[in-house]
Amino acid sequence: MTTDRPLRELLCTLLRLFYAKDWVGGTGGGISGVRDDGMLLVAPTGVHKELVEPRDLFVVDPKTCGVVEPSENAALKPSECSPIFAAIVRARGAGSVVHSHALSTVLAADITTDDALPIRSLEMLKGIRGLANTDVHEVPLIDNTPREAELTGAVEAACRDRRFASAHAILVRDHGAYIWGADVWEAKRHAEVYHFLFEAVRLRKER
Amino acid sequence: MTTDRPLRELLCTLLRLFYAKDWVGGTGGGISGVRDDGMLLVAPTGVHKELVEPRDLFVVDPKTCGVVEPSENAALKPSECSPIFAAIVRARGAGSVVHSHALSTVLAADITTDDALPIRSLEMLKGIRGLANTDVHEVPLIDNTPREAELTGAVEAACRDRRFASAHAILVRDHGAYIWGADVWEAKRHAEVYHFLFEAVRLRKER
Amino acid sequence: MTTDRPLRELLCTLLRLFYAKDWVGGTGGGISGVRDDGMLLVAPTGVHKELVEPRDLFVVDPKTCGVVEPSENAALKPSECSPIFAAIVRARGAGSVVHSHALSTVLAADITTDDALPIRSLEMLKGIRGLANTDVHEVPLIDNTPREAELTGAVEAACRDRRFASAHAILVRDHGAYIWGADVWEAKRHAEVYHFLFEAVRLRKER
Amino acid sequence: MTTDRPLRELLCTLLRLFYAKDWVGGTGGGISGVRDDGMLLVAPTGVHKELVEPRDLFVVDPKTCGVVEPSENAALKPSECSPIFAAIVRARGAGSVVHSHALSTVLAADITTDDALPIRSLEMLKGIRGLANTDVHEVPLIDNTPREAELTGAVEAACRDRRFASAHAILVRDHGAYIWGADVWEAKRHAEVYHFLFEAVRLRKER
């Protein structure tokens, strides 16, 4: 399939950008994108994300989580967060999901033992689709699990929860965040905005 | 009009620099520059600022805020802060205005509930035109509004306020800062200096 | 010997990356890698690490610490931490050892006067081979000495200590860290993960 | 004079590096280097330091502070810190002097009202020529003045002070630091080391 080449290249370019921002260091984190045919491109697991090339990606069916087209590199396996990427695509119609391992996501989640992190009084809230800067924006916050795929149930519950209808991110305590958008560029914008919001909330709290 | 090409390229180069400094992430913030004919070049709204190209810019009349020359890309709209850029050009004769969404601007504005942030005892004050390092420099600080254009009145009042005659920046609480200079290079210098000053004031306060 | 050229180039590329991350500034820190024949490639001492070139490296026998092939530049001497690199290769079968002078390593070691730094409740622990995110991971912490080679005994003791069987790093108080892996890429991953863990532990402590 | 071309290029390369490190932002700070004939190359004042080109530099006689060769650009004036650069060259035989406007220098100087900042218990002290990691290293700390040239007397006094015989830096309160070495590369190494030390001392103090 030649038509997904630009999407593959864009995902790899963004992995290098996110690596430079310290969001996907130590081989953690990643990004996925939905093709025109509804199939999901995901990076391999356990690789240095800044070095991923277009041909390394897997094609996964978000309905079944099955691999429909393997990486050209037979030694690779698809990202362990593929089931979560797929769940968010199904539940929210996301066109792209970012998984961040940024330290700012962990420290923001530390602020509260509640199941949501409220964010308020920041113009940057407008950077999330549908929000006003006067909103109190509740980001769902779930507990970490020993295996990443075990997060899927809690991710699906957060996606269904009416309190979080406007959220485009889920924080995972001690772990990171899933951030999505209607397409790759909106996911990138949302990722930049949420990282700003998380850091702002933390630094305001510590004041 | 071919003669504004160097200015268009310079504005795009600085957007990439400012993106790398985390001043215009999440599609927020921007920069504008006045052409030789007095018309103002502004970036489109809602786009990733590090990707803006010279032909994407709009030409706006700072007197009327009307678009006199659209972007080549018909899908784009001019930056929402165009009325504020125009107000500062009219009130202060600025040749270029930067709009920063840096976290340091938000955290600096958090320091006080007053309508000005005083800055003192820093050599870097000399980096603002007309200031000595012995000055207590008052930066006007206004409240945020639901829509960016609604800031215009408060921006104009701050520009007229005699207390702020030496200021080349306006802080907007929970939002960011407008920073200007006589030309693009002075606006860049002022932007670098004010971001340093804001961060210095915050870190000294938290000590 | 031509076959070690790719390893030499990789080590120099990573030195430039680590310099950009502020891990090997001021000529401190470094990286070493084991060749197919078991000999160790080490950088020269006292040079700007981001400028090291493949031909500048020394070949050291990790059993004897003797130089078996000098740098092409006769003015250079091998890194002072060569005995420690060699000790970790012998004791742990490491294929590559990173020596970091990052400020985060010094500040993490400041947290405790104990002989180990415990790290817990972080998904990033999974980035260290063999660890689960539910582990309490004990990183050995030794005292600094006037001369770097004098650390060797304490490094060897830490490598033998059963409490630290899963550790792939040793913190040196007031100094930095040694971080290793089975090969250069695992050492890079471990280095990124440990720097994240050290900074997380410090910022959580200061909360 | 053609033989100083490599030195001119090196100084400009380092200005770009120092700009990326936020040491010479807002047109502040700089670097100077002594030519083989003992004359001092200095950057122009009031320019964006990352844009300085080899032909922009001035040649100054460190004995008289007089310009012996102007910049090719007649609109430029030599750096205001030229008298201080010259004083350090005369008093310490420095081959290169860096002037940093890094925020870390200002915050480190804030720690004490004394005339020296003591630094101890850091391996990075070894990065300063002649120091051991067991030394308590006293960095002279002088008060700022309205005009930069007025610092010269205090700089000369600090250079003469026996307490500071091993120092290769002078902190200027509310302002920045002068850091030097026997040649440009040693000045670069000392600059990297001192910025690390200043930040370490501050963060340890705030703990």
Side-chain angles (χ1 to χ4, degrees):
Chain A
M1 178 168 208
T2 56
T3 57
D4 68 356
R5 177 80 194 184
L7 178 57
R8 286 173 182 260
E9 285 177 351
L10 176 56
L11 294 174
C12 295
T13 298
L14 291 180
L15 284 174
R16 289 191 294 274
L17 176 69
F18 296 171
Y19 178 79
K21 290 177 183 284
D22 278 331
W23 295 354
V24 298
T27 77
I31 186 171
S32 60
V34 177
R35 298 196 310 196
D36 289 344
D37 65 356
M39 295 296 115
L40 190 62
L41 286 169
V42 300
T45 188
V47 301
H48 296 268
K49 293 299 190 292
E50 74 279 19
L51 302 178
V52 173
E53 291 184 38
R55 64 178 178 231
D56 295 333
L57 301 179
F58 289 80
V59 185
V60 168
D61 183 338
K63 293 201 197 74
T64 63
C65 288
V67 171
V68 296
E69 204 178 306
S71 168
E72 278 194 20
N73 182 338
L76 299 175
K77 293 181 183 178
S79 170
E80 286 203 48
C81 44
S82 301
I84 299 167
F85 286 158
I88 294 170
V89 168
R90 290 193 309 267
R92 292 297 188 104
S96 177
V97 185
V98 174
H99 179 39
S100 170
H101 272 202
L103 186 50
S104 59
T105 64
V106 170
L107 298 172
D110 281 350
I111 290 175
T112 177
T113 56
D114 205 351
D115 70 345
L117 178 73
I119 304 176
R120 74 191 79 209
S121 301
L122 285 163
E123 175 73 7
M124 282 288 256
L125 285 165
K126 283 188 191 168
I128 309 299
R129 180 157 42 99
L131 293 193
N133 59 13
T134 50
D135 290 340
V136 177
H137 181 52
E138 300 268 343
V139 178
L141 172 45
I142 65 178
D143 285 328
N144 203 20
T145 52
R147 298 198 52 170
E148 195 142 12
E150 294 165 358
L151 291 169
T152 312
V155 164
E156 289 174 332
C159 284
R160 279 194 306 266
D161 193 319
R162 291 199 161 192
R163 286 180 298 156
F164 307 131
S166 66
H168 290 75
I170 296 172
L171 278 166
V172 185
R173 195 168 271 117
D174 304 328
H175 181 151
Y178 294 95
I179 303 169
W180 63 88
D183 58 25
V184 176
W185 289 108
E186 189 177 76
K188 171 187 177 280
R189 187 186 83 224
H190 283 169
E192 290 177 0
V193 170
Y194 274 113
H195 283 85
F196 178 99
L197 296 174
F198 296 150
E199 194 68 358
V201 166
R202 175 177 80 89
L203 288 169
R204 283 182 158 183
K205 183 79 178 180
E206 290 184 357
R207 223 166 27 196
Chain B
M1 179 168 206
T2 56
T3 57
D4 68 357
R5 178 80 194 185
L7 178 57
R8 287 174 182 261
E9 286 177 349
L10 176 57
L11 294 174
C12 295
T13 296
L14 291 181
L15 283 174
R16 289 191 294 274
L17 176 70
F18 295 171
Y19 177 79
K21 290 177 182 283
D22 278 330
W23 294 355
V24 297
T27 77
I31 187 171
S32 60
V34 177
R35 297 196 311 196
D36 290 344
D37 65 355
M39 295 296 114
L40 190 62
L41 286 169
V42 300
T45 187
V47 300
H48 297 268
K49 293 299 190 291
E50 74 279 19
L51 302 179
V52 173
E53 292 184 37
R55 63 176 179 235
D56 295 332
L57 301 179
F58 289 80
V59 185
V60 168
D61 183 337
K63 294 200 196 75
T64 64
C65 288
V67 171
V68 297
E69 204 178 307
S71 169
E72 277 195 21
N73 183 337
L76 299 175
K77 293 181 183 177
S79 171
E80 286 203 47
C81 45
S82 301
I84 299 167
F85 286 157
I88 294 170
V89 168
R90 290 193 308 267
R92 292 298 188 104
S96 176
V97 185
V98 174
H99 179 40
S100 170
H101 272 202
L103 185 50
S104 59
T105 63
V106 170
L107 297 172
D110 281 349
I111 290 174
T112 177
T113 56
D114 205 350
D115 71 343
L117 179 73
I119 303 176
R120 75 190 78 207
S121 300
L122 285 163
E123 175 73 6
M124 281 289 256
L125 285 165
K126 283 188 189 168
I128 309 299
R129 180 157 42 98
L131 293 192
N133 59 12
T134 49
D135 289 340
V136 178
H137 181 53
E138 300 268 343
V139 178
L141 172 45
I142 66 177
D143 285 330
N144 202 20
T145 53
R147 299 199 50 170
E148 194 142 13
E150 294 164 358
L151 291 169
T152 312
V155 164
E156 289 174 331
C159 284
R160 278 192 309 265
D161 194 319
R162 291 198 162 192
R163 287 180 298 156
F164 307 130
S166 65
H168 290 77
I170 296 172
L171 278 166
V172 185
R173 195 168 272 117
D174 305 327
H175 181 152
Y178 295 95
I179 303 169
W180 64 87
D183 57 25
V184 175
W185 289 110
E186 188 177 78
K188 171 186 178 282
R189 187 185 84 224
H190 283 169
E192 290 177 0
V193 169
Y194 274 113
H195 283 85
F196 178 100
L197 297 173
F198 295 150
E199 194 67 358
V201 166
R202 174 176 81 89
L203 288 170
R204 283 181 158 183
K205 184 79 178 182
E206 290 183 357
R207 223 163 31 193
Chain C
M1 178 165 206
T2 56
T3 58
D4 68 356
R5 179 77 193 187
L7 178 57
R8 286 173 182 260
E9 285 177 351
L10 176 56
L11 294 174
C12 295
T13 297
L14 291 180
L15 284 173
R16 290 191 293 274
L17 176 69
F18 296 171
Y19 178 79
K21 289 177 182 285
D22 278 331
W23 295 353
V24 297
T27 78
I31 186 171
S32 59
V34 177
R35 298 196 310 196
D36 289 343
D37 65 355
M39 295 295 115
L40 190 62
L41 286 169
V42 301
T45 188
V47 301
H48 298 267
K49 292 300 190 292
E50 74 279 18
L51 302 178
V52 173
E53 293 185 35
R55 65 179 178 231
D56 296 333
L57 301 179
F58 288 80
V59 185
V60 168
D61 183 337
K63 292 201 197 74
T64 63
C65 287
V67 171
V68 296
E69 205 179 304
S71 168
E72 277 194 21
N73 183 337
L76 299 176
K77 293 180 184 177
S79 170
E80 286 203 47
C81 44
S82 301
I84 299 167
F85 286 158
I88 294 171
V89 168
R90 290 193 310 267
R92 292 296 189 105
S96 176
V97 185
V98 174
H99 179 39
S100 170
H101 272 202
L103 185 50
S104 58
T105 63
V106 170
L107 298 172
D110 281 350
I111 290 175
T112 178
T113 56
D114 205 350
D115 70 345
L117 179 73
I119 304 177
R120 75 190 79 209
S121 301
L122 285 164
E123 174 74 6
M124 281 289 255
L125 285 166
K126 283 188 191 169
I128 308 300
R129 179 156 43 99
L131 293 192
N133 59 13
T134 49
D135 289 339
V136 178
H137 181 52
E138 300 267 343
V139 178
L141 172 46
I142 65 178
D143 284 329
N144 203 19
T145 53
R147 299 199 50 171
E148 196 143 12
E150 295 164 358
L151 291 169
T152 312
V155 164
E156 289 174 330
C159 286
R160 279 192 308 266
D161 193 320
R162 291 198 161 191
R163 288 181 297 157
F164 307 132
S166 65
H168 290 77
I170 297 171
L171 278 166
V172 185
R173 194 167 272 116
D174 305 328
H175 182 152
Y178 294 94
I179 303 170
W180 63 88
D183 58 25
V184 175
W185 290 109
E186 189 177 78
K188 171 186 177 282
R189 187 185 84 225
H190 284 169
E192 290 178 1
V193 170
Y194 274 113
H195 283 86
F196 178 99
L197 296 173
F198 295 150
E199 195 67 358
V201 166
R202 175 177 81 89
L203 287 169
R204 283 181 158 184
K205 182 82 178 179
E206 289 182 357
R207 222 162 33 194
Chain D
M1 179 167 206
T2 56
T3 57
D4 67 358
R5 179 79 194 187
L7 178 57
R8 287 174 181 259
E9 286 177 349
L10 176 56
L11 294 174
C12 294
T13 297
L14 291 180
L15 284 173
R16 290 191 293 274
L17 175 70
F18 295 171
Y19 177 79
K21 290 177 182 284
D22 278 330
W23 295 353
V24 297
T27 78
I31 187 171
S32 60
V34 177
R35 298 196 308 196
D36 289 344
D37 65 356
M39 295 295 114
L40 190 62
L41 286 169
V42 301
T45 188
V47 301
H48 297 268
K49 292 299 189 292
E50 74 278 18
L51 302 178
V52 172
E53 292 184 37
R55 63 176 180 235
D56 296 332
L57 301 179
F58 289 79
V59 185
V60 169
D61 183 337
K63 293 200 196 74
T64 63
C65 288
V67 171
V68 296
E69 205 179 305
S71 168
E72 278 194 22
N73 183 337
L76 298 175
K77 293 180 184 178
S79 171
E80 286 202 47
C81 44
S82 301
I84 299 166
F85 286 157
I88 294 170
V89 168
R90 290 192 310 267
R92 292 296 189 106
S96 177
V97 185
V98 174
H99 179 40
S100 170
H101 271 203
L103 185 50
S104 58
T105 64
V106 170
L107 297 172
D110 282 349
I111 290 175
T112 178
T113 56
D114 205 351
D115 70 344
L117 178 73
I119 304 177
R120 75 190 78 209
S121 301
L122 284 164
E123 175 74 6
M124 281 290 256
L125 284 165
K126 283 188 189 169
I128 309 300
R129 180 156 44 99
L131 293 193
N133 59 13
T134 49
D135 289 340
V136 177
H137 180 53
E138 301 267 343
V139 178
L141 172 45
I142 65 178
D143 286 328
N144 202 20
T145 53
R147 300 200 50 171
E148 195 143 12
E150 294 164 0
L151 291 169
T152 313
V155 164
E156 290 174 330
C159 285
R160 278 192 308 266
D161 194 319
R162 291 198 161 192
R163 287 180 298 157
F164 306 131
S166 66
H168 290 77
I170 296 170
L171 279 166
V172 185
R173 194 168 271 117
D174 305 327
H175 181 153
Y178 294 95
I179 302 169
W180 63 89
D183 58 25
V184 175
W185 290 109
E186 188 176 78
K188 171 186 177 282
R189 186 186 85 223
H190 284 169
E192 291 178 0
V193 170
Y194 274 114
H195 282 86
F196 178 100
L197 296 174
F198 295 151
E199 195 68 357
V201 166
R202 175 177 81 88
L203 287 169
R204 284 181 157 183
K205 183 79 179 182
E206 289 183 358
R207 223 162 31 193

